[in-house]
Amino acid sequence: MAESMRGLHRSHRCTEVSSANIGETVTVMGWVQKRRNLGSLIFIDLRDRSGILQLVFNEETVGKAGYEKAESLRSEYVIAVTGKVEKRSAAVNENLKTGDIEVIAEDIRILSESETPPFQIQENNQTKHEIRLKYRYLDLRRPDIQKNLMLRSKVAYLMRDFMMKEGFLEIETPMLCKSTPEGARDYLVPSRIHAGHFYALPQSPQLYKQLLMCSGYDRYFQIARCFRDEDLRADRQPEFTQADMELSFVDVDDVLEVNERLLKYVFKEAIGVDIQLPLPRMPWQEAMDRYGSDKPDTRFGMELHDVSDIVKGCGFSVFTGAIENGGSVRGINAEGQATMPRKKIDKLVEFAKGYGAKGLAYLAVNEDGTYKSSFAKFMTEEELAALVAAMGGKPGDLLFFAADKNKIVWNVLGALRLELAKDLDLLDENQYNFLWVTEFPLLEWSDEENRFMAMHHPFTMPMEEDWDQIDSNPGAVRAKAYDIVLNGTELGGGSVRIHQDDIQEKMFEVLGFTKERAHEQFGFLLDAFKYGVPPHAGLAYGLDRMVMHMVHADSIRDVIAFPKVKDASCLMTQAPGTVDEKQLEELFIKTTEVE
Ligand code: ASP
């Protein structure tokens, strides 16, 4: 039977008890991790979110009734125990924070009993994630997940602390917003009062934070939930958390400077990592050319080399064809891998195809100077020698080449580089390579939409030095946009915003908006800008991702208390679900779904 808390007070969490408390009486409460009976003694490992504490029951001290209660304990029972702290009688457990002490129980209450849980509550539980997520409330008892969520809470606290000291104001922005189709797909919320009208859940507080700048709040931040109805990947969730900020009267350098100090502070205080400032910066073009990625992992080399000039006249039509079509031929050098088995190379070719390559050419430079290659027969000795030299190839190296449109070549080699690094164990988990990627293109051509789209968003400021090309060569205009990258993942990004009407109007025109449509969608922002708008800029971090990196979690789910799975459903609550006909009627909704 479950007993009450009446008259009881917890004095310590489990691992708050230490050898400093020896001789004192403490009251601890938590879950039974394990019970062991040893002759006339019962040992209980008591668990709470701080860790584990050993309790000892003997009939003399705890009494007959107490001893019988202890005998009845099973995993996950919730108990309260009062007793005296003593030095451990048996060997010290080095693996436990409380390994040198134990509590000799004088009183016990069983606060609640537990059925046998569907899986054991322990670190690195290998139970299938579907089962763990169905019983998420149990999964969340696991010490490793609890550590993650405690760290997450600390990171949010540290950010607030830093931002407050730097004069930022935390201001909440609405969850029920207007839908703005530019960007990802919105989650919609039907209006009961306005038939046929919908709110959208925010994809980010972008427009509101810009309006706050118009209103003079000059430094805003928020830890904001955001929603994007996109197909999920391993590191994506339909709802996620941004640490979002916006600043007035600033340019690129000002934003980067305050954010570097924020990162330094948070990483030091949260996980003890020292970050050297200033952080390196790299223009987008350089990142693509050297790493095939706008979020390069700079913990290892294996950089891309453009060999188009060397192979443009050769007899291998895959190479020459790509160049003639406006693309390029680029390669990476997997140093010392010349003896890679054919099977493994074939696997990498398949891998490359997954990233859009039609194939992947390779050339191994054997130790005796001969080649083993998929294309050597189409090239002369001189051409091959020049190619190997351009790649910095030495005997023992394995060279891979992709030939296609630049975008595909970058994509393929960027991914291949990472795959090889993983395979060859080149990635040091304890190394934290931060990098600002700057000068992103303002626009990106979309074949699907047959128009330019904003690479960041339509309010991003073009670089002054490129603005004269906006009509003649819009694709070449760079933006005052920046991303902060850590070990190959984008932790956050932002931009300086357009605050001049004429530039904003031109931007909408390039994006294919009519004046009317721009006004219909963003009229409130454009109007606000008519009444005195300060130059402003901002940035947002993906908080989930940042914490995921800090704890080296494999999945973003391990740092979110109640995550969704890949099809955007919640296995515990079964959301999304159907609703009553009456609810739908009130919302003027009929579904067209067929069973
Ligand atoms: N709102 C942007 C985003 O979600 C970040 C920013 O520009 O501040 O990516």
Side-chain angles (χ1 to χ4, degrees):
M1 207 196 60
E3 296 176 89
S4 85
M5 279 284 293
R6 196 165 171 187
L8 270 189
H9 296 284
R10 178 168 76 168
S11 67
H12 297 79
R13 287 207 181 82
C14 286
T15 66
E16 286 165 4
V17 185
S18 73
S19 51
N21 302 105
I22 286 174
E24 290 173 21
T25 299
V26 297
T27 298
V28 289
M29 303 183 188
W31 286 258
V32 172
Q33 178 72 28
K34 207 163 69 185
R35 189 198 67 203
R36 275 164 298 142
N37 291 23
L38 260 170
S40 58
L41 293 179
I42 296 172
F43 291 88
I44 297 291
D45 279 351
L46 186 72
R47 186 193 74 237
D48 65 15
R49 72 169 160 96
S50 73
I52 298 248
L53 176 66
Q54 176 164 292
L55 312 175
V56 186
F57 295 80
N58 64 64
E59 208 174 311
E60 272 155 52
T61 323
V62 77
K64 191 166 173 358
Y67 191 79
E68 275 167 12
K69 273 191 210 169
E71 266 184 323
S72 77
L73 295 179
R74 289 165 49 192
S75 288
E76 302 311 312
Y77 275 35
V78 181
I79 59 173
V81 170
T82 302
K84 209 168 257 147
V85 184
E86 284 192 3
K87 207 168 151 39
R88 257 199 207 199
S89 45
V92 167
N93 182 343
E94 306 278 358
N95 298 324
L96 279 188
K97 206 170 158 193
T98 57
D100 56 346
I101 52 163
E102 57 197 12
V103 170
I104 311 298
E106 290 164 5
D107 197 11
I108 171 173
R109 285 194 208 172
I110 296 180
L111 301 176
S112 81
E113 298 180 349
S114 168
E115 292 181 15
T116 306
F119 50 84
Q120 243 197 342
I121 310 303
Q122 63 184 18
E123 217 148 304
N124 295 320
N125 189 310
Q126 296 299 318
T127 308
K128 279 213 310 235
H129 80 264
E130 287 84 357
I131 298 185
R132 290 203 276 109
L133 288 178
K134 177 165 179 223
Y135 298 95
R136 184 61 165 173
Y137 43 86
L138 294 179
D139 197 36
L140 286 172
R141 288 185 191 172
R142 281 165 52 201
D144 38 355
I145 301 252
Q146 292 194 329
K147 259 182 239 146
N148 293 354
L149 292 185
M150 287 190 275
L151 185 81
R152 183 184 174 122
S153 167
K154 185 167 181 185
V155 169
Y157 161 74
L158 290 168
M159 285 191 155
R160 286 202 165 93
D161 184 41
F162 180 90
M163 298 307 265
M164 284 295 151
K165 286 187 195 137
E166 293 286 328
F168 286 79
L169 299 169
E170 184 167 10
I171 301 176
E172 285 159 278
T173 53
M175 285 285 121
L176 297 177
C177 308
K178 193 175 145 90
S179 176
T180 51
E182 197 72 357
R185 202 177 292 115
D186 282 327
Y187 274 99
L188 297 178
V189 179
S191 165
R192 178 180 58 82
I193 298 176
H194 304 275
H197 287 63
F198 294 83
Y199 302 97
L201 300 179
Q203 296 190 22
S204 87
Q206 185 62 34
L207 298 177
Y208 292 107
K209 68 174 175 173
Q210 291 195 237
L211 288 167
L212 286 170
M213 295 304 107
C214 288
S215 308
Y217 289 88
D218 81 33
R219 284 187 158 208
Y220 139 96
F221 94 100
Q222 181 180 197
I223 296 189
R225 197 69 64 80
C226 304
F227 305 84
R228 295 182 192 172
D229 188 2
E230 292 177 298
D231 294 329
L232 301 192
R233 294 196 311 242
D235 61 347
R236 277 225 180 117
Q237 285 279 317
E239 52 180 306
F240 59 96
T241 306
Q242 279 192 347
D244 189 41
M245 70 180 75
E246 194 76 9
L247 305 80
S248 290
F249 310 114
V250 292
D251 210 332
V252 174
D253 286 345
D254 305 291
V255 180
L256 303 203
E257 192 271 337
V258 72
N259 277 283
E260 292 192 352
R261 285 188 295 110
L262 168 70
L263 287 167
K264 186 178 173 76
Y265 177 66
V266 171
F267 273 75
K268 177 72 187 172
E269 298 300 319
I271 55 169
V273 166
D274 281 305
I275 303 178
Q276 293 307 320
L277 301 188
L279 298 179
R281 299 183 190 184
M282 190 182 289
W284 178 89
Q285 187 65 54
E286 184 182 336
M288 300 310 288
D289 284 337
R290 290 176 56 190
Y291 298 97
S293 167
D294 59 3
K295 38 181 184 293
D297 192 332
T298 54
R299 285 176 296 173
F300 65 102
M302 218 192 284
E303 294 186 14
L304 278 58
H305 298 272
D306 188 343
V307 293
S308 306
D309 273 346
I310 311 232
V311 299
K312 65 175 183 247
C314 79
F316 186 34
S317 63
V318 171
F319 285 178
T320 50
I323 298 167
E324 278 153 24
N325 283 328
S328 59
V329 181
R330 297 171 202 246
I332 54 175
N333 182 351
E335 288 179 35
Q337 294 302 310
T339 54
M340 186 180 281
R342 183 58 200 268
K343 243 194 173 151
K344 201 159 165 190
I345 295 181
D346 288 343
K347 255 199 183 149
L348 292 174
V349 175
E350 285 313 306
F351 174 85
K353 285 183 183 163
Y355 285 82
K358 291 191 232 16
L360 187 66
Y362 67 88
L363 183 143
V365 189
N366 298 325
E367 291 294 348
D368 62 4
T370 61
Y371 303 126
K372 184 174 70 198
S373 168
S374 60
F375 61 88
K377 56 178 179 273
F378 302 109
M379 286 169 75
T380 65
E381 276 300 318
E382 292 73 44
E383 284 168 343
L384 287 169
L387 182 60
V388 171
M391 292 295 298
K394 320 171 287 309
D397 290 352
L398 175 59
L399 315 176
F400 289 102
F401 299 93
D404 213 311
K405 294 206 179 81
N406 286 336
K407 213 172 154 181
I408 296 180
V409 171
W410 282 326
N411 215 359
V412 167
L413 293 181
L416 185 68
R417 183 180 164 268
L418 285 181
E419 182 69 12
L420 283 164
K422 263 186 243 156
D423 203 53
L424 304 173
D425 216 6
L426 302 180
L427 303 173
D428 178 358
E429 212 182 53
N430 297 312
Q431 192 179 335
Y432 288 79
N433 278 26
F434 286 89
L435 175 72
W436 287 110
V437 177
T438 59
E439 301 178 19
F440 276 77
L442 182 69
L443 304 160
E444 190 177 26
W445 181 259
S446 161
D447 284 331
E448 209 174 295
E449 301 255 338
N450 198 32
R451 66 169 174 110
F452 277 110
M453 311 270 285
M455 191 139 179
H456 189 50
H457 50 55
F459 314 104
T460 295
M461 180 81 98
M463 282 175 59
E464 284 90 352
E465 39 287 57
D466 294 350
W467 187 235
D468 55 357
Q469 295 188 70
I470 191 66
D471 288 312
S472 56
N473 190 7
V477 177
R478 291 166 298 166
K480 288 192 169 185
Y482 32 77
D483 273 0
I484 180 71
V485 174
L486 168 59
N487 294 352
T489 26
E490 178 199 328
L491 282 193
S495 60
V496 174
R497 326 299 183 189
I498 299 170
H499 73 281
Q500 304 91 324
D501 308 356
D502 51 337
I503 300 184
Q504 188 66 67
E505 255 173 49
K506 185 79 204 172
M507 186 69 185
F508 280 133
E509 185 192 312
V510 178
L511 293 174
F513 281 70
T514 58
K515 266 212 165 96
E516 294 70 40
R517 214 181 116 218
H519 238 269
E520 192 187 298
Q521 276 178 25
F522 305 112
F524 54 96
L525 186 76
L526 302 176
D527 284 344
F529 279 17
K530 289 185 194 150
Y531 297 97
V533 48
H536 56 289
L539 179 144
Y541 295 98
L543 185 68
D544 314 281
R545 245 189 239 177
M546 184 183 290
V547 177
M548 181 178 160
H549 258 272
M550 287 179 162
V551 301
H552 304 301
D554 295 328
S555 162
I556 204 155
R557 291 190 300 255
D558 291 341
V559 298
I560 296 175
F562 297 104
K564 308 260 187 309
V565 289
K566 232 175 159 184
D567 68 359
S569 66
C570 168
L571 298 181
M572 183 182 67
T573 62
Q574 306 281 305
T578 52
V579 296
D580 289 345
E581 202 53 45
K582 182 160 174 284
Q583 276 177 292
L584 288 179
E585 250 165 52
E586 269 180 350
L587 295 169
F588 310 97
I589 285 185
K590 266 203 169 69
T591 61
T592 56
E593 177 252 11
V594 263
E595 285 287 312

